[in-house]
Amino acid sequence: MMKFRYLSGLLLLAATMTTAQAQEGGSTLASSGVNAGFFDTEGMYSGFRLPPLGQLFENAMTNPTVEILAREEAIQRELVKKEKRSLLEFFTGHANYTYGIMDNYGSNSTVTSPIYYQYMGSQQSYWNFGASVSVPLGDAFDYRGRVRRQQLNADKARLQKEMAFEELKQKIATLYVRIENNLIALKTSSEHAAAYKGAGELTNEEFKMGDVSVRDLAETKRWEYDAIVRYQELQSTITTDILILEILTHTPIITNVIVDMSLDSEDK
């Protein structure tokens, strides 16, 4: 109980000193770690908001899993059309046309005249057309059944696509709610970690002056470490969930922000 009161007093004192230092100039505030980068006071989650959930659902239609099933449905729809046209397979037709010139050479001779040759040619053309019907009884009686079965395959492909999309939307909604809740918790966790960071710096200064024991210093540092680790783990979880959400929905959310921040760091 004494340690708890002591630690609470340190936190209250650290917060009071932090406020006073911030009003005076803020140099000691930064050295105490309250404005440290990993507390994200001015990082990429400052004022961050997720895109509307409806927009994410709409963009998720381009997800490869949904796209593949959509193509499969389109194939099955085309096969339905093919089955409906299969009646034409019972009919056959033919037509042909022939054109040519018939050549004929003749020769004749007598005792009083030499041999002579005579050419006789005539143009000829032929054409005909026709049609025939051959109806296999098994295929004829099963025509409507084949069309119906193919229609069911198309409907099955549509339902599989819708089912996959519903599962994808559930994953997106789960990530969305978790990210929103964690973003709210991140602010509290940031303030908590900053307060313990300030308490750790204050206790360290008091230890140097001999006002606190090494045990008290170690206890305060342990609380400081735990608070910072919890904050960093929460921030890591948020970042991972957002990146997964980007992959599922094909929507850039923080990727561009991370790239811009990296470029700014390189420029500096």
Side-chain angles (χ1 to χ4, degrees):
M1 181 63 69
M2 291 297 295
K3 288 184 179 179
F4 177 75
R5 291 178 179 175
Y6 170 74
L7 189 56
S8 300
L10 282 177
L11 291 175
L12 180 60
L13 181 59
T16 304
M17 291 181 63
T18 296
T19 304
Q21 290 165 353
Q23 292 174 350
E24 292 173 0
S27 59
T28 310
L29 177 68
S31 65
S32 69
V34 176
N35 274 350
F38 49 77
F39 293 142
D40 198 43
T41 55
E42 296 181 358
M44 62 182 175
Y45 292 123
S46 178
F48 174 80
R49 293 187 63 118
L50 286 172
L53 190 57
Q55 178 186 343
L56 297 179
F57 285 159
E58 182 178 354
N59 294 348
M61 289 296 295
T62 60
N63 184 280
T65 302
V66 180
E67 281 280 348
I68 290 175
L69 294 175
R71 299 292 176 85
E72 179 63 25
E73 180 188 4
I75 291 173
Q76 296 300 328
R77 296 294 179 194
E78 290 298 321
L79 290 177
V80 172
K81 297 178 182 178
K82 178 183 177 182
E83 288 294 344
K84 290 181 178 180
R85 293 192 299 266
S86 63
L87 277 177
L88 299 177
E89 297 175 0
F90 301 153
F91 301 90
T92 57
H94 64 274
N96 62 72
Y97 176 78
T98 304
Y99 172 81
I101 299 176
M102 180 177 290
D103 295 331
N104 187 13
Y105 289 88
S107 62
N108 192 13
S109 65
T110 63
V111 293
T112 60
S113 62
I115 299 175
Y116 66 92
Y117 296 93
Q118 183 179 10
Y119 168 75
M120 294 179 296
S122 61
Q123 294 183 353
Q124 296 179 345
S125 62
Y126 302 94
W127 59 271
N128 67 78
F129 67 91
S132 62
V133 180
S134 177
V135 183
L137 295 179
D139 292 340
F141 283 106
D142 193 40
Y143 170 74
R144 296 186 64 181
R146 285 188 289 120
V147 173
R148 178 60 179 167
R149 286 193 296 271
Q150 188 54 52
Q151 183 66 53
L152 291 175
N153 286 334
D155 293 340
K156 179 181 177 181
R158 175 182 59 81
L159 292 174
Q160 288 176 336
K161 181 194 70 175
E162 293 178 356
M163 182 174 64
F165 188 48
E166 289 298 321
E167 292 177 355
L168 182 60
K169 288 198 295 184
Q170 290 178 12
K171 293 179 181 178
I172 293 172
T174 300
L175 284 172
Y176 195 93
V177 173
R178 187 164 67 192
I179 292 170
E180 289 284 1
N181 290 335
N182 285 341
L183 285 172
I184 297 173
L186 184 67
K187 185 177 185 301
T188 303
S189 180
S190 173
E191 296 170 352
H192 190 222
Y196 273 103
K197 179 70 175 178
E201 293 291 337
L202 180 61
T203 306
N204 189 53
E205 293 298 325
E206 291 180 344
F207 174 74
K208 291 178 181 179
M209 293 184 294
D211 294 337
V212 297
S213 65
V214 66
R215 184 188 300 274
D216 295 330
L217 176 64
E219 185 72 10
T220 305
K221 286 295 183 180
R222 182 176 68 83
W223 283 94
E224 174 189 346
Y225 172 80
D226 291 342
I228 293 175
V229 167
R230 284 194 295 269
Y231 169 79
Q232 291 177 328
E233 288 177 347
L234 184 58
Q235 189 181 55
S236 177
T237 299
I238 292 173
T239 303
T240 302
D241 286 345
I242 292 177
L243 291 176
I244 294 175
L245 193 62
E246 285 192 2
I247 295 172
L248 293 178
T249 62
H250 287 190
T251 304
I253 301 175
I254 63 169
T255 302
N256 296 336
V257 177
I258 294 175
V259 173
D260 292 341
M261 291 177 66
S262 299
L263 293 175
D264 290 341
S265 299
E266 292 177 1
D267 292 339
K268 292 178 182 179

